[in-house]
Amino acid sequence: MAFVAPKETFAGKVFPVTIGTENEQTFGGENTLPFHAFEGEVPNRPLIAYEIQDVPPEDWPETVRKVYDAVGDDPVKWAKFCQDELKAKAIALRLIGTHPDNKDLSADDAAKTVSDVLGAVNVPLIILGSNHVEKDSEVLVKVAEVAKGKNCVIGKAQEANYKTIAAAAMANGHKLIAMSELDINLSKQLNILITQMGFEKERLITDPMCSALGYGLEYTYSVMERIRLAALAQNDPVMQPPMMADVGMYVWKIKETQASEETLPEWGGLEERAIMWEAMTASSLMLSGAEFLVMRHPKAVELVERFVDELMG
Amino acid sequence: MALTGVEIFKLLPKTNCKKCGFPTCLAFAMKLAQRQASLDACPDVSEEAKKILGEASAPPIRPITFGTGDKAVKMGEETVLFRHEKKFVNPTVFALEIKDTEADDVIEAKINDVVTSEINRVGQLLRVDSICITNESGDAGKFAALAEKVAQKAPDVPVIVATESPEAAEAAIKPFSGKNAILYGVTDANADKMVEIAKANKAIVGAKADGLEALSALTEKIKSTGVEDIVMDSGARKASELLEHNTYIRRAALKKSFKPLGYPVINFVQRDDSMFEALIAGLGVTKYASIVVLSSAEKWKNLALFTLRQNIYTDPQVPMQVEQKIYKIGEPTPDSPLIITTNFSLTYFIVSGEVENAKVPAYLAVMDCEGLSVLTAWAAGKFTGSKIANFIKESGIENEINHRELIIPGYVAILSGAIEEKLEGWKVTVGPREANALPAFLRSRAA
Ligand code: B12
Ligand code: SF4
């Protein structure tokens, strides 16, 4: 019996999304399963953006916080550090300080931060709210205006607030993240609602919601695989935007990235463990379909970039 | 691929003698196709038909047990390409490579890493399952000495003996004879001698070829000598090749019933950088490797890999759950606090961990909600005021404690009224939302 490679090709294709103006970045665009260049086209690498915040990273665990010790007090310095020292290809600014339980910063405060950061860096910017449904619709509308014409990514639009956020992204020429909670049907429904407003599906990014290794990773992993199969095999256009994994935020809050080796000797060294956790969460989700990731630790980013090199090489 | 009822019917005696318990041979054939009957029920079926039907009904990826005794591990038997379709069956085996050129203390440390690798995560015991000894030196005597040492210090651990030299294989396989070891390094060039050695020592054959065509030819050749248990190395080392080969192998076996590749896969993922190696090993775990061979097994790396394997191999339909009962954390007294949560393993694991951190002895009431998290269980109507009240009453905890106060998760604060209504004489206290706030919360109450 001779071996014949059981290749699979698909009718569907993931939309390529290009962001930024000066140093544009493109992700998505493949017509095959993740990294299956042996049977389809994989024109672009997944894009990893470095996460920064509008307020100092006080609640980030020591292992990652110390990387930004000298710059964390100022989003502009922080952004420049990521661009110039860490060679970030893109920067994701999370306006966590606007959350009512955080500093409750105003939309105007946020707008100023965004315009300062935009003035200081030339890599593409992703602008994320604080995940507070009401506050985000106020803040993200304002910052979308400030960033007009910069071809940013704005997020995240959820079922409860997509109308205002999508309208603002549309009016100011940005891409948009649509987030739902780990359910392929909810994800599809939200994409439909947003496109029914006249927002082009080719400008969307789907966030099916991330989870960290050991804390529900398998749900995100499988929802991503199902969404990707719907895009490729069923050629369902609403499922064809590229997918996002908001890795850093989910990883750097769990115990594995914080507990010391003294308290849990059987878990081994904290530094390696924590970095490993972020890298492994990211690499696994790339294998299930994520092509746009937000991460925090430079060493984890470096490892994952190397992983992509080997997968694409 | 499984045969249809009509195809099976053609192979039966067609006498309709009813000895099988069915009115006609066709009716029996239909049941066989649905796997609701066993061929043994027909006494008159020919040997040839038995062979064809037996092969067609064999699992597309051969089940193989590696090792013997408590530490034996199962491989193969997979049925799907994507885990949402059905549970992945036999979790990837982690093997730590030890070379016969490594210094004695390194060898001892590595054996020790494997023997002490076991940890408990969400109620499961996880460990580095196996040791792969490699004949890096090319010297049969050195290799045999390493084998001897491993057999002695890690007596029950399943072992892979990796060499392409029949002489070295012969020397090193001895201590593992009869223990379902793997003799890896069987190539087209050495197959005759190596297969004999494997057979004589009841070892699984580890076939190694360059590419999938060569590998298919090699497994066929090995099979023709009467060997059934084979694990396969396609020669892939780079991530892109591992993904390609593992995917093609799984698809060929499942979708094309291509028997020559219907065996478990072994991936060698060793890298200079241990963290990077872990990511490549993760590729093996998610993408169809039955065995992943590592060059080191640090505790932090083990934890990440064990966790990934556990995540990928959980049943997508049935969440992992723990037993419903009142767990004692520390040594609680009748005045210790009583905390309630659901029986989703992850929830239990997080909450009990934080209560332990608090160092405040407590009773943790874990209620059966079919393995759902707190909010999911609440949304599904399984974590309600009256159900909680019933559970508390029936648990008998009232006889063990002096007080009548129940601490509930902050996310379901809304339940407090309903519980108080159903649980007469009880007071409900709403705890924090996130479990990591529990230590501070419990300590401030205890103070
Ligand atoms: C994964 C998931 C599922 C999985 C189930 C996983 C499981 N085993 O439970 C699936 C896909 C099956 C599912 C189904 C449903 N889900 Co669901 N699901 C989630 C999701 C994404 C994560 C849940 C999870 O695993 N959390 C992790 C565990 C550890 O959290 P936890 O148990 O709450 O424990 C934490 C705290 O509560 C606290 N804690 C726990 N115990 C205690 C005790 C004390 C004393 C204290 C102080 C603290 C404390 O500690 C933990 C960590 O901090 C959430 C959204 C989200 N991000 O939370 C939605 C969510 C819970 N689901 C939701 C819903 C509505 C449903 C469905 C009813 C409908 C649907 N969407 O399909 C079904 C119901 C299930 C059914 N009928 O069988 C809603 C609930 C809405 C609400 N606020 O009531 C949520 C919030 C999503 C949403 N916003 O829509 N879901
Ligand atoms: S026992 Fe065999 S021959 Fe007789 S009816 Fe059944 S299948 Fe046919």
Side-chain angles (χ1 to χ4, degrees):
Chain A
M1 245 186 281
F3 171 76
V4 182
K7 282 192 201 294
E8 281 180 10
T9 52
F10 299 104
K13 180 180 164 195
V14 179
F15 300 126
V17 168
T18 300
I19 63 172
T21 47
E22 281 173 65
N23 296 295
E24 287 181 349
Q25 291 286 341
T26 303
F27 50 91
E30 64 274 19
N31 63 359
T32 186
L33 289 164
F35 305 104
H36 283 41
F38 49 87
E39 57 186 3
E41 273 156 41
V42 186
N44 300 298
R45 293 169 71 92
L47 175 66
I48 303 176
Y50 271 93
E51 178 173 351
I52 68 169
Q53 296 189 160
D54 56 344
V55 293
E58 276 155 15
D59 59 348
W60 291 20
E62 169 69 17
T63 306
V64 62
R65 196 184 55 223
K66 69 183 180 207
V67 178
Y68 303 108
D69 257 353
V71 295
D73 60 333
D74 173 6
V76 170
K77 272 198 287 179
W78 194 349
K80 283 180 81 74
F81 176 75
C82 290
Q83 173 181 287
D84 301 336
E85 305 298 322
L86 304 179
K87 310 291 174 223
K89 293 175 182 163
I91 291 172
L93 167 62
R94 196 181 305 276
L95 299 163
I96 195 73
T98 62
H99 196 287
D101 297 342
N102 196 295
K103 293 220 164 57
D104 202 14
L105 297 175
S106 68
D108 287 329
D109 297 328
K112 178 162 187 320
T113 306
V114 167
S115 98
D116 290 350
V117 169
L118 276 171
V121 294
N122 53 25
V123 294
L125 189 68
I126 295 91
I127 308 170
L128 301 169
S130 67
N131 235 356
H132 184 278
V133 174
E134 290 91 34
K135 191 69 183 276
D136 274 2
S137 46
E138 211 183 298
V139 169
L140 292 177
V141 168
K142 190 96 194 193
V143 300
E145 279 168 27
V146 171
K148 189 178 176 82
K150 292 281 188 177
N151 195 17
C152 296
V153 179
I154 302 284
K156 303 170 181 176
Q158 308 179 44
E159 198 189 330
N161 64 10
Y162 71 92
K163 279 193 183 143
T164 46
I165 299 173
M170 191 154 55
N172 297 288
H174 300 302
K175 306 298 187 311
L176 179 71
I177 301 166
M179 185 186 86
S180 50
E181 283 174 322
L182 284 179
D183 182 313
I184 183 171
N185 297 316
L186 293 177
S187 165
K188 176 166 175 163
Q189 159 142 357
L190 182 59
N191 286 3
I192 290 174
L193 289 171
I194 291 174
T195 46
Q196 277 172 352
M197 289 174 59
F199 196 96
E200 292 169 87
K201 55 188 180 312
E202 294 82 358
R203 303 175 67 86
L204 270 180
I205 297 161
T206 297
D207 179 0
M209 201 161 100
C210 190
S211 15
L213 176 62
Y215 294 82
L217 179 86
E218 68 274 29
Y219 292 101
T220 303
Y221 185 92
S222 282
V223 170
M224 282 189 169
E225 283 197 329
R226 292 180 63 195
I227 290 178
R228 185 47 40 87
L229 286 167
L232 298 176
Q234 293 157 36
N235 198 3
D236 179 350
V238 256
M239 299 268 79
Q240 287 171 344
M243 286 187 283
M244 166 183 194
D246 203 349
V247 174
M249 171 174 114
Y250 283 90
V251 164
W252 293 100
K253 71 175 183 190
I254 61 166
K255 196 166 179 173
E256 281 77 353
T257 57
Q258 317 195 17
S260 72
E261 190 173 2
E262 288 75 62
T263 51
L264 283 165
E266 69 274 23
W267 280 12
L270 170 59
E271 179 91 10
E272 291 97 336
R273 185 197 327 131
I275 293 168
M276 191 76 259
W277 226 263
E278 185 173 36
M280 187 79 92
T281 302
S283 63
S284 307
L285 292 178
M286 278 181 173
L287 290 169
S288 67
E291 46 266 289
F292 170 55
L293 297 94
V294 175
M295 297 178 64
R296 291 182 178 174
H297 202 291
K299 176 79 188 155
V301 173
E302 187 196 310
L303 284 163
V304 176
E305 291 284 9
R306 222 173 123 193
F307 184 65
V308 175
D309 288 342
E310 232 198 88
L311 272 169
M312 310 257 307
Chain B
M1 199 156 303
L3 298 177
T4 64
V6 175
E7 284 165 336
I8 297 172
F9 170 69
K10 289 184 185 152
L11 298 165
L12 294 175
K14 302 197 200 72
T15 56
N16 298 336
C17 75
K18 303 191 176 62
K19 282 187 259 181
C20 57
F22 292 90
T24 60
C25 294
L26 183 62
F28 181 59
M30 292 300 171
K31 287 288 165 187
L32 280 178
Q34 293 162 18
R35 306 205 169 173
Q36 288 170 357
S38 157
L39 190 62
D40 308 338
C42 171
D44 302 326
V45 70
S46 70
E47 281 308 312
E48 194 208 339
K50 262 189 205 160
K51 188 160 173 272
I52 297 172
L53 288 169
E55 269 180 21
S57 64
I61 300 174
R62 186 172 170 80
I64 297 178
T65 301
F66 172 30
T68 50
D70 288 350
K71 292 195 169 157
V73 282
K74 287 171 119 186
M75 308 181 296
E77 269 181 301
E78 300 298 334
T79 60
V80 294
L81 279 139
F82 300 101
R83 63 177 294 285
H84 62 262
E85 299 172 302
K86 209 160 176 230
K87 186 179 187 295
F88 282 6
V89 184
N90 289 315
T92 313
V93 170
F94 294 123
L96 176 61
E97 177 182 49
I98 304 181
K99 297 178 184 164
D100 65 0
T101 46
E102 285 171 315
D104 278 348
D105 55 334
V106 174
I107 291 174
E108 306 240 332
K110 281 187 159 182
I111 295 175
N112 191 51
D113 282 346
V114 172
V115 175
T116 61
S117 64
E118 188 165 275
I119 53 175
N120 182 329
R121 190 172 188 284
V122 200
Q124 287 186 343
L125 289 176
L126 310 165
R127 60 173 170 259
V128 176
D129 313 89
S130 156
I131 291 174
C132 173
I133 56 169
T134 308
N135 183 23
E136 187 86 357
S137 69
D139 178 308
K142 255 191 142 167
F143 196 36
L146 172 61
E148 215 34 80
K149 186 175 273 176
V150 167
Q152 208 180 68
K153 304 239 154 137
D156 305 323
V157 174
V159 171
I160 303 167
V161 175
T163 177
E164 289 180 29
S165 143
E167 188 203 349
E170 181 86 63
I173 194 91
K174 285 271 145 58
F176 314 111
S177 191
K179 290 189 167 177
N180 282 348
I182 295 173
L183 178 57
Y184 165 83
V186 180
T187 63
D188 189 50
N190 67 15
D192 296 343
K193 285 185 182 163
M194 292 288 270
V195 166
E196 279 320 304
I197 298 168
K199 277 187 184 167
N201 293 282
K202 296 204 165 44
I204 299 158
V205 169
K208 179 192 181 190
D210 190 7
L212 299 178
E213 266 169 57
L215 184 62
S216 308
L218 178 58
T219 61
E220 293 254 81
K221 175 171 175 178
I222 295 167
K223 188 170 180 232
S224 71
T225 68
V227 169
E228 302 270 13
D229 291 341
I230 304 174
V231 299
M232 308 185 295
D233 170 20
S234 67
R237 294 294 180 272
K238 256 179 72 175
S240 52
E241 278 171 350
L242 289 166
L243 179 66
E244 175 181 346
H245 289 187
N246 289 6
T247 302
Y248 277 158
I249 288 172
R250 176 72 68 97
R251 263 194 215 149
L254 296 186
K255 294 187 147 181
K256 308 281 177 206
S257 300
F258 186 67
K259 293 284 171 192
L261 295 181
Y263 302 96
V265 169
I266 181 167
N267 285 165
F268 292 83
V269 302
Q270 298 95 322
R271 296 290 188 280
D272 290 340
D273 177 343
S274 179
M275 292 182 109
F276 188 58
E277 174 176 303
L279 297 190
I280 308 291
L283 169 70
V285 172
T286 52
K287 291 291 165 184
Y288 320 137
S290 286
I291 306 177
V292 160
V293 181
L294 303 157
S295 68
S296 67
E298 299 88 341
K299 294 207 175 316
W300 48 266
K301 180 176 171 189
N302 293 348
L303 186 70
L305 283 173
F306 294 169
T307 306
L308 180 66
R309 174 176 68 178
Q310 191 176 43
N311 282 178
I312 296 298
Y313 279 84
T314 53
D315 191 328
Q317 266 96 40
V318 190
M320 287 174 62
Q321 34 189 295
V322 295
E323 191 194 339
Q324 156 164 312
K325 71 175 198 194
I326 312 259
Y327 291 80
K328 290 181 180 172
I329 301 192
E331 282 167 27
T333 67
D335 296 313
S336 296
L338 173 65
I339 303 166
I340 189 161
T341 192
T342 64
N343 75 326
F344 179 31
S345 289
L346 182 58
T347 302
Y348 165 75
F349 171 70
I350 295 173
V351 174
S352 63
E354 294 301 349
V355 177
E356 272 164 34
N357 279 350
K359 304 223 165 15
V360 175
Y363 294 96
L364 180 60
V366 174
M367 184 169 140
D368 181 2
C369 297
E370 291 165 31
L372 294 180
S373 78
V374 168
L375 272 181
T376 317
W378 176 73
K382 297 187 200 306
F383 197 56
T384 64
S386 52
K387 287 186 179 160
I388 292 173
N390 276 343
F391 165 53
I392 293 292
K393 274 185 214 149
E394 284 165 16
S395 71
I397 185 72
E398 285 175 322
N399 303 325
E400 283 188 49
I401 53 176
N402 294 331
H403 63 84
R404 292 289 177 265
E405 183 194 21
L406 179 65
I407 301 172
I408 64 170
Y411 281 112
V412 289
I414 194 164
L415 285 176
S416 61
I419 302 172
E420 282 181 353
E421 206 171 283
K422 301 272 157 89
L423 258 188
E424 231 167 276
W426 280 72
K427 171 173 171 275
V428 169
T429 297
V430 177
R433 294 179 141 210
E434 295 295 334
N436 61 14
L438 262 172
F441 173 81
L442 290 174
R443 276 188 222 127
S444 71
R445 286 166 43 97

